[in-house]
Structure formats: structure tokens, C-alpha cells
Amino acid sequence: MDKISDVTVGESVYINSRREKGAIVEVRESSLIVRLLTGRVEVREGDFERR
């Protein structure tokens, strides 16, 4: 499982709960902000993976 501390801004991640892939626009202490085609979402650790 990937951790928030392992990813960087601009990297693409797959969001498991939404079944979509998007680019990270902000890394926070306990979550990520990911830009998708439908907008931006906040993603918690354990709900994303690098692909």
C-alpha cells in the first residue's frame, strides 16, 4: 500500500473508491488533493495507489 509520505505533487495516482486516475495537486499531512476530470477530491491514506 502506498503512503502519503511516498508521493509528490504532480504524480498520478489511482483512487480506489472512485475508480479514477488523477494528478496530485496538494499533499497534506493526512490526505491528498487529487485533480480528476470531474473536479478535485480529498483522498485519505489507503484509498489510493500508484499505477
Side-chain angles (χ1 to χ4, degrees):
M1 173 172 49
D2 294 310
K3 296 183 178 186
I4 291 174
S5 59
D6 296 339
V7 296
T8 59
V9 172
E11 197 170 344
S12 291
V13 292
Y14 180 79
I15 302 171
N16 297 321
S17 63
R18 296 184 61 108
R19 296 185 177 131
E20 290 186 67
K21 190 172 186 177
I24 299 171
V25 293
E26 185 179 342
V27 178
R28 297 180 177 174
E29 188 174 315
S30 62
S31 65
L32 302 172
I33 302 298
V34 179
R35 184 180 62 236
L36 304 172
L37 292 175
T38 57
R40 294 181 180 203
V41 295
E42 184 174 7
V43 181
R44 303 265 179 218
E45 195 162 306
D47 190 29
F48 71 93
E49 58 188 58
R50 289 191 238 179
R51 286 192 175 178

